[in-house]
């Protein structure tokens, strides 16, 4: 018996997809290959090479449109601004949360000011009452 024709909506989705998907270990998750690293999206105050929100939102939208369903982020990227932008993109572009895999890392202390790069100041932050529940 021949296979039925692929539904038009499924074929449209396949045609628009520009990446491959792989199984993530035994987790049951299928992740895009490549994975979008978002460290470069956030605030230039954190690092001069980082894209600001508007440009970063364009990158996130383009990645989603091309099938990248897996985005990597961390609490320290642009002192948390990165994760705020990722959240805004999900909302603005109506990205179904159940179809997006977010790889979130938590490491180190998140400075309260975007212009502070945390790693050189970990020891000092550990002594501050403002950072008592971090790190």
């Amino acid at each position: 018996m021949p296979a039925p024709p692929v539904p038009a909506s499924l074929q449209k989705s396949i045609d628009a997809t520009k990446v491959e998907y792989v199984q993530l270990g035994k987790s049951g998750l299928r992740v895009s290959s490549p994975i979008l690293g978002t460290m470069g999206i956030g605030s230039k105050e954190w690092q001069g090479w980082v894209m600001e929100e508007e440009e970063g939102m364009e990158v996130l939208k383009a990645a989603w449109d091309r099938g990248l369903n897996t985005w990597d982020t961390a609490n320290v990227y642009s002192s948390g601004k990165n994760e705020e932008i990722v959240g805004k993109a999900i909302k603005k572009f109506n990205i179904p949360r159940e179809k997006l895999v977010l790889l979130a890392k938590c490491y180190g202390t998140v400075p309260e000011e975007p212009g502070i790069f945390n790693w050189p100041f970990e020891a000092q932050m550990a002594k501050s009452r403002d950072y008592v529940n971090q790190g």
Side-chain angles (χ1 to χ4, degrees):
M1 175 180 261
V6 175
S9 61
L10 177 56
Q11 189 60 56
K12 182 179 178 185
S13 174
I14 293 167
D15 293 343
T17 301
K18 307 295 183 202
V19 300
E20 293 183 10
Y21 299 94
V22 296
Q23 191 77 25
L24 183 63
K26 296 180 182 179
S27 70
L29 289 173
R30 290 183 59 229
V31 298
S32 59
S33 178
I35 292 170
L36 177 67
T38 65
M39 185 178 191
I41 299 171
S43 172
K44 287 189 181 301
E45 290 181 55
W46 185 66
Q47 292 291 309
W49 47 264
V50 172
M51 288 179 265
E52 294 289 339
E53 183 172 329
E54 185 177 331
E55 186 179 5
M57 294 281 277
E58 291 174 18
V59 169
L60 294 169
K61 174 74 166 108
W64 176 254
D65 288 347
R66 286 161 181 80
L68 276 80
N69 76 333
T70 311
W71 300 351
D72 173 69
T73 187
N75 64 331
V76 295
Y77 296 169
S78 290
S79 301
K81 181 73 174 164
N82 168 272
E83 291 176 322
E84 292 174 14
I85 294 170
V86 167
K88 287 178 182 180
I90 293 168
K91 185 174 183 177
K92 179 178 180 178
F93 304 124
N94 297 312
I95 297 172
R97 183 57 192 90
E98 69 277 6
K99 294 183 179 183
L100 181 65
V101 179
L102 293 175
L103 306 175
K105 301 176 295 297
C106 293
Y107 177 78
T109 305
V110 179
E112 292 185 2
E113 298 174 45
I116 298 176
F117 191 68
N118 62 319
W119 290 298
F121 305 108
E122 290 287 339
Q124 291 85 350
M125 288 178 178
K127 296 176 184 176
S128 169
R129 66 183 172 135
D130 291 332
Y131 300 97
V132 71
N133 292 321
Q134 296 191 42

